[in-house]
Amino acid sequence: MKTILVTGGSGFIGSHVVRLFVNKYSDYKIVNLDALTYAGNLENVSDLENQNNYVFEKGDITDLEFIRSLFTKYNFDGVIHLAAESHVDRSIKDPLVFARVNVMGTGTLLQVAKESWKENFEGKLFYHVSTDEVYGSLGDEGFFYEDTAYDPRSPYSASKAASDHLVRAFNHTYGFPIVISNCSNNYGPNQFPEKLIPLFINNIVLEKPLPVYGKGVNVRDWLYVVDHARAIDVIFHKGKVGETYNIGGHNEWRNIDLIKEMCAQLDEKLNREKGSAEKLITYVTDRAGHDHRYAIDATKIEKDLGWKPSLQFKEGLGKTIDWYLANKEWLKNVTSGEYQNYYAKMYEKVDG
Ligand code: NAD
Ligand code: DAU
C-alpha cells in the first residue's frame, strides 16, 4: 500500500486527479490536503467520500507545523502538489498572497518532505504541477519547449516560476526526487466561474455581458482537464526523476473565436435564437500585462511516455457546457459564496 499526498485536491484540476487515482489504484491511500479557499469545494469530490482508500484533510500548505504533523501521521511515499492560488486577475490585485501560497507553500512542502524522507529518497517522488505561463508570452509563431527560458510576466506566473525553481534547486542540491510538468489552459467540469470558459457559460445562461479583454485576439492552448489528470498519472508512474514534461492539447484558439464557438453551442443547447449569445459580447479594458499567446510543444510526453489528448476540443467543450447546464446548483452555490459559509460552520469546531 502506497500513501500519496495530493495537495489542492478539492480544486478544479486536483479533484480530477484525486478521482482518477482513488478509482484506478485501490492499493494506494490518497490523502487530499486542501485549505478550502474560495476555489476549493468538497462537493467536487463528494463521490469519493465513502471510498476506503480516500481521506480528506483540511489545512494550509504554508503551515509548517501542520505539514510536519501530517507527514508524521501518514508517512507519505509520494506527493502530487497542485495547491496554489491560480487566477491571474487575482494575482494582479493581490500579488503577495500568490508569493505566500505558491512560493512559501511549495517551499514548506519540499522542506518537510525532505526532513521526513531523511535523505533516503529511494522510491519517493515529489511531483510539482506547474503551468506553461512560466515561459512567458509567444508571438504569432513558435512553441514552448521544456528548455524554453523562463520569462514569467504576471505575479501569478512569477510565483509559479519561483516555485519551479525551488523544486529544481532541491533536486540539484540534495538529490531530492522531483518531477515537474508545465501544462496549458485546462477546461472542463468543476472549474471555478472566474476563469474564461465557466464564467462565460454562466453569463450566457444568465444573459449577462461577456467581458472580452482588449480585442479578444490573445491565444490560448486548451486541454480537457481529464486529459491533464491522465498525463499526471503517466508522469507520476513513468516519468524520469529530475525531468520536466510539457503537457498541451495542440489546440490553439483566439479568445474571440472560442467565445463565438461557446455562444453558438449555447444558443443551440438553450433553444435560443441563433446569434443571441453573441449580442452579449462586450469589449472591456485589457488585462494588465496580458500575455499574447501560449502554445505547448508536447512531443516529449507523447514520445517518451506515450500520452496524448483523448478528446477533440469541440466535443470536450460540448461536454463541459452540458455539465454546467446540468449542475446549475453547483454554479449557484459557488457564485453565491453559500458553500463558503457552509464550510465556515462545518469546520468551526475543528478550527477551534
Ligand atoms: P484551483 O484554484 O481551482 O484550485 C486550487 C486548490 O488549491 C483549491 O482547492 C484551494 O482550496 C487549494 N489551496 C489554495 N491555497 C491553499 C493553501 N494555502 N493550502 C492548501 N490548499 C490551498 O486551481 P486549478 O486550476 O485546479 O490549478 C491547480 C494547479 O494546476 C495549480 O498549481 C495551477 O498553477 C496549475 N495549473 C492550472 C492550469 C489551469 O488551466 N487551471 C493549467 C496549468 C497548471
Ligand atoms: O496557461 C495555463 C494557465 O491558464 C493556468 O496556469 C492558470 O491557472 C489559468 O487560470 C489559465 O490562465 P489564463 O489567464 O490564460 O486563463 P483565464 O481563463 O483567466 O483567461 C483566458 C483568456 O481569456 C485570457 O487571454 C484572458 C481572457 N479573458 C479572461 C476572463 C476571465 C477575457 O477576455 N475575459 C475574462 O473575463
Side-chain angles (χ1 to χ4, degrees):
M1 186 99 183
K2 276 192 172 184
T3 307
I4 312 294
L5 172 65
V6 180
T7 70
S10 302
F12 167 48
I13 301 170
S15 62
H16 291 276
V17 171
V18 165
R19 177 170 303 102
L20 189 152
F21 273 69
V22 167
N23 289 334
K24 186 168 172 184
Y25 301 106
S26 55
D27 54 337
Y28 288 4
K29 179 188 269 185
I30 302 300
V31 180
N32 169 13
L33 164 65
D34 200 298
L36 299 179
T37 67
Y38 77 95
N41 184 350
L42 280 182
E43 231 184 282
N44 293 347
V45 279
S46 56
D47 54 316
L48 305 175
E49 262 165 27
N50 297 324
Q51 303 266 51
N52 53 20
N53 63 336
Y54 171 74
V55 183
F56 175 73
E57 292 276 358
K58 183 175 185 286
D60 191 320
I61 55 167
T62 65
D63 182 343
L64 180 69
E65 287 316 317
F66 170 73
I67 297 296
R68 277 196 177 123
S69 69
L70 207 66
F71 271 76
T72 305
K73 180 171 172 188
Y74 290 103
N75 196 17
F76 297 115
D77 298 290
V79 177
I80 305 178
H81 173 38
L82 297 109
E85 286 292 334
S86 69
H87 192 41
V88 173
D89 293 330
R90 286 180 190 257
S91 83
I92 294 167
K93 277 219 157 62
D94 202 352
L96 294 188
V97 174
F98 284 68
R100 188 182 71 79
V101 173
N102 298 355
V103 186
M104 286 305 292
T106 302
T108 303
L109 288 166
L110 287 166
Q111 176 63 16
V112 175
K114 180 175 147 306
E115 285 169 12
S116 160
W117 295 341
K118 294 198 178 61
E119 321 282 325
N120 178 11
F121 300 139
E122 194 61 38
K124 306 287 197 291
L125 186 63
F126 188 101
Y127 183 156
H128 178 61
V129 176
S130 192
T131 171
D132 61 356
E133 299 197 12
V134 297
Y135 298 124
S137 179
L138 291 164
D140 291 332
E141 306 272 306
F143 295 94
F144 295 136
Y145 301 93
E146 282 81 0
D147 59 0
T148 299
Y150 274 30
D151 183 22
R153 295 149 45 101
S154 74
Y156 163 67
S157 54
S159 68
K160 290 297 290 187
S163 66
D164 293 9
H165 289 321
L166 258 182
V167 173
R168 290 199 181 93
F170 265 62
N171 176 248
H172 183 78
T173 308
Y174 309 113
F176 184 78
I178 62 105
V179 69
I180 299 181
S181 59
N182 296 82
C183 188
S184 63
N185 286 62
N186 283 217
Y187 71 98
N190 301 107
Q191 187 168 32
F192 194 82
E194 63 187 352
K195 308 278 166 69
L196 180 73
I197 290 182
L199 176 72
F200 278 37
I201 294 173
N202 195 30
N203 285 11
I204 291 170
V205 171
L206 301 174
E207 298 183 89
K208 284 166 66 174
L210 306 176
V212 179
Y213 296 163
K215 294 194 166 71
V217 293
N218 304 68
V219 175
R220 297 292 182 266
D221 176 0
W222 294 94
L223 180 71
Y224 193 61
V225 62
V226 175
D227 280 329
H228 188 187
R230 285 177 48 245
I232 289 173
D233 177 19
V234 169
I235 293 168
F236 186 75
H237 290 100
K238 295 203 241 159
K240 214 167 137 197
V241 173
E243 294 281 313
T244 296
Y245 296 89
N246 278 355
I247 309 169
H250 302 293
N251 179 43
E252 290 180 52
W253 285 74
R254 282 196 324 165
N255 290 343
I256 193 64
D257 299 330
L258 167 57
I259 291 160
K260 288 184 176 167
E261 174 63 27
M262 271 195 277
C263 288
Q265 288 204 21
L266 273 150
D267 281 345
E268 203 178 312
K269 287 177 195 286
L270 295 168
N271 289 317
R272 288 183 186 161
E273 200 184 319
K274 249 190 188 172
S276 41
E278 274 197 30
K279 289 193 190 128
L280 300 169
I281 290 176
T282 312
Y283 291 92
V284 299
T285 309
D286 208 354
R287 172 184 279 172
H290 198 170
D291 287 340
H292 174 61
R293 172 173 166 258
Y294 306 142
I296 280 282
D297 181 293
T299 308
K300 180 174 171 181
I301 182 174
E302 289 173 1
K303 281 221 165 110
D304 292 2
L305 307 182
W307 172 91
K308 63 175 178 352
S310 68
L311 266 192
Q312 292 301 310
F313 183 63
K314 286 191 185 177
E315 185 193 346
L317 185 62
K319 274 178 82 158
T320 303
I321 293 173
D322 289 344
W323 186 86
Y324 282 96
L325 294 181
N327 288 275
K328 290 207 180 95
E329 205 53 32
W330 181 92
L331 257 177
K332 216 175 104 201
N333 286 345
V334 301
T335 45
S336 72
E338 238 169 63
Y339 83 96
Q340 295 240 46
N341 300 336
Y342 165 73
Y343 290 130
K345 281 192 197 124
M346 184 174 167
Y347 285 101
E348 226 162 32
K349 282 194 198 117
V350 180
D351 287 345

